Amino acid sequence: MTEGGISYLPKCLAVGWGKHNITVNAVAPTFIATPGTERALSNAAFRADVIERIAALHRIGEPMEVAGAVVFLASPAASFITGDTILIDGGWTAR
């Protein structure tokens, strides 16, 4: 239920703020190698499970792979994209 609410939020905000020419999007990354995930991913069994679930690429994401999507959304190239959530999950949801 929470996941559905989070993905619905940009849609609702985009409709409300669009009249002010404001776009609203979200970025939803999977496990990314950061200090915040380091402890969990240091557990070998947990890390192996996560890598297996990242169905297409079978690896942990890097911060720059998320940053690229954020830079794109903040650029003029994304000026007609609003109310969307970009999944950066290496294929996790493709399963």
Side-chain angles (χ1 to χ4, degrees):
M1 188 165 88
T2 302
E3 190 173 316
I6 290 171
S7 66
Y8 189 63
L9 182 62
K11 294 178 185 325
C12 291
L13 294 175
V15 171
W17 293 354
K19 62 186 169 196
H20 302 291
N21 202 32
I22 297 171
T23 60
V24 180
N25 295 290
V27 175
T30 187
F31 283 93
I32 304 297
T34 67
T37 61
E38 185 176 5
R39 183 174 179 206
L41 294 173
S42 68
N43 177 304
F46 181 79
R47 183 181 182 88
D49 183 55
V50 168
I51 290 172
E52 177 59 31
R53 290 173 186 263
I54 300 175
L57 298 180
H58 296 286
R59 65 179 177 80
I60 304 299
E62 295 295 324
M64 288 305 293
E65 293 172 308
V66 177
V70 173
V71 169
F72 166 70
L73 288 172
S75 77
S79 64
F80 203 62
I81 299 173
T82 194
D84 204 1
T85 300
I86 296 180
L87 299 175
I88 304 173
D89 67 0
W92 184 297
T93 55
R95 291 180 65 116

